[in-house]
Structures are given as C-alpha cells and as structure tokens.
Amino acid sequence: MLPPFWDYRREYDELRDEILAAVDRVFTSGKLILGPEGIAFERDMAAYVGVKGAVGVNSGTDAIYIALAAAGVGAGDEVITVPNTAVPTVSAIQVLGARPVFVDIRDDDFLMDVGQIEAAITPRTRAIVAVHLYGQCVDLDPLLEIARRHGLKVIEDCAQSQGARYRNRRCGSIGTAATFSFYPTKLLGGYGDGGMVVSGDEAVVDLARSLRFYGMEQTYYAERHGYNSRLDEVQAAILSLKLPRIDGWINRRRDIADRYRRGLADSGLRLPKENDYGRHVYHLFVVETSGDRDATLARIEARGLKCSVQYRWPIHLMRGYQDLGYREGQFPVAERNARQIFSLPVYPHLRDDEIDEVIEAVRAAI
C-alpha cells in the first residue's frame, strides 16, 4: 500500500498518552475557554517566533482578519495579496469590508512578486498580506521597504510556514503582525480548528486580544466592536505539547524533500526551489509538470498514489470573487501555475521506504 497524502494517526499513536493526559487535565480543571493552557501556549508561541505577544483565536482565517483589524485596516481600505493562495486569506480581508487587490507571483518559487506591488498601490491601500506559501518566505526586505515608503502595514500569513526562516529570523517576527493556522494538516496542527495572531507591537497584541473577545477589556464591557474567536483550552493543551517537537519534524520534512530531489532529479518534473535568503520547511512538496497535469495525476492515482493540488483555481477566477472585476490573463504566472502543479506526500511520519515507493510510482506514471 502506498502512503496516504496526509494522515495524523501515526503522530497520534506516538503522542497518544501525552495527548489524552493533556485533554484530561483540561477537562478536570474546570476551565475550558481562556484559561491557563491558552495563556501558556500564547507565551510559548511568542517565544518560539521571537515576538512580544501572541493571541490565540478560533482559526487561521480569524487570525488574518483580526490581525488586519488590529493593524488599523477597515471597511473601504485595500489590501494587496496574491491570487494563488487559499480562499481564507482573501475572505478574511473581505470580512472587514476591505477590498483584496492582487499582484502576480514569481515563476521560480510561486511567491509574491514584490516588484509588482508599487504599481498596485492606490490612495486606499492600507496593508499587504505576504503569504509565505508552501513553507518558505516571501522576500521581505524589499517588501518592507516599499511598505515603509508608503506607510503600509505588512501582515505575514504563516499558515504554511511555521518555523521557516528569512535571513535567520523566524517567519512571523518581521512584519507588523503575523498569523498562524493550527488546522490539523499544518506543521503545528491541532485536532480541530485554531489560529493565532502574533506581533512585536504590544499595541497590536492588546487590540487583537480585545477584538477576539467581543471588543472587551473588562468583563462584559465592550470598548469597541469585536468578534467571538477564542482558541479553546483543549487545542491549546495539545498544541503546547507538540510545539517543542516542531523543529525536529521540520528537519524530517527537509530530509524527505532531499530524498524526493534525489529520486526525481532527472524525471522531467520541475522541483521546488529553495531561496538562498531563507530556510524552507516543506509544508508541501510542490512539483510542476510541463505536460497535462490532470492526465499525469490520473496515471499516478491509477498506481495507487493520491497526490493533491494547491491550488487548482486562482482566486480571481472563482465565481465567488467575480465582483472584484479581474479577468483571465491578468495574472499569467499564477494561472499557469494552477494548471501545472501538484504536491507529493510530505509529513514527518513517512518512512524512507514509503518515500521511495512514491518516487517509483511518480516516475513510472510520467
């Protein structure tokens, strides 16, 4: 049997006793929401990322719109990002009543083309959401310089990049604020939904903490309009016990990526580029084919291997976002990328023999 594209059960088998003990600790504590587990996890995450504070929220999507709101973005503002991201990045912008504005991506690493940002800036632009896609960082130094010149906020979307580095700094420690998702498939995944806002700006952290709890700073007294978005104690306890393991899991992901590179070096597939300014954590191992991607995937799946595509449709071409007014052909790199890429299984509990079986199946199919 070839391995599944992703499976949490091997991890659970390894950590089962610790996870059940943590859950029991929460259930017997008498505190299920905004308790000591969440406070401890926020402290540990802030220390891991290298920022002053962290605020646990209900999901990565909530983290983005709360971070934007805490950074001063509101209705009528424009936020620049990319079309080759998960829908939540863009839906979070629209929750605030702001307008997503897209720039294309680079051909070699599929990350934001920072050179296109200034042309997209208007008097309504307030922020840039830099999506650290697949496990490595957008080129942040030139982006931050553009933001500084135009008085813009930079939010790092770190949903796929926890532990990645940019010039020896951890992702999430560099912009105005950063957001994390703890969806189960993520590098640091819970057993349900969860997210976090982090920032080196104490004012942003304090405002995010108020916004995630109805805008309150004292019990049942709202200082502002807010939301209901809190990381529950069960997820916080599970994430806390997994956090110390994440760097070892990243090392394993990098080992798997190296094995794929060796095994697929002459396969005709275009393999992921790792930028010299950072350290890739391989949340996904994304390859590109020059032929018919879907036909290739069909042949791979006929051999018993399930791959995935992140993402098949650029957001500007989705019916749900036709109101933004974009048309096919405006972001040619993102559009071509969506037609040609697919992802191979990569998670820490894959065995070397399984990786070799994946390589064999892919090579035979292409």
Side-chain angles (χ1 to χ4, degrees), residues 11-12 15-24 191 238 241:
E11 174 195 278
Y12 180 67
L15 302 179
R16 183 177 186 274
D17 290 346
E18 292 178 71
I19 289 170
L20 294 180
V23 171
D24 184 68
Y191 288 5
I238 293 170
L241 72 87

Side-chain angles (χ1 to χ4, degrees), residues 292-311:
D292 184 330
R293 188 268 312 282
D294 290 339
T296 300
L297 284 178
R299 291 194 298 272
I300 290 173
E301 291 185 15
R303 294 179 175 274
L305 176 63
K306 177 68 175 177
C307 295
S308 188
V309 179
Q310 287 88 11
Y311 299 96

Side-chain angles (χ1 to χ4, degrees), residues 184-201:
T185 60
K186 298 299 190 284
L187 282 100
L188 180 60
Y191 288 5
D193 272 321
M196 187 161 279
V197 179
V198 306
S199 180
D201 185 329

Side-chain angles (χ1 to χ4, degrees), residues 33-87:
I33 302 290
L34 297 182
E37 302 286 351
I39 292 169
F41 180 55
E42 288 173 345
R43 180 196 63 228
D44 292 346
M45 265 290 289
Y48 178 85
V49 175
V51 293
K52 290 184 178 179
V55 180
V57 297
N58 187 59
S59 68
T61 312
D62 287 8
I64 294 172
Y65 74 71
I66 289 174
L68 286 166
V73 176
D77 292 338
E78 293 180 351
V79 179
I80 296 171
T81 191
V82 290
N84 71 322
T85 183
V87 170

Side-chain angles (χ1 to χ4, degrees), residues 3-6 260 285 287 293 296-297 300-301 304-310 312 341-345 358 361-362:
F5 183 75
W6 177 78
Y260 277 145
F285 191 90
V287 300
R293 188 268 312 282
T296 300
L297 284 178
I300 290 173
E301 291 185 15
L305 176 63
K306 177 68 175 177
C307 295
S308 188
V309 179
Q310 287 88 11
R312 285 184 176 273
I341 62 168
F342 63 95
S343 303
L344 304 181
V358 170
V362 171

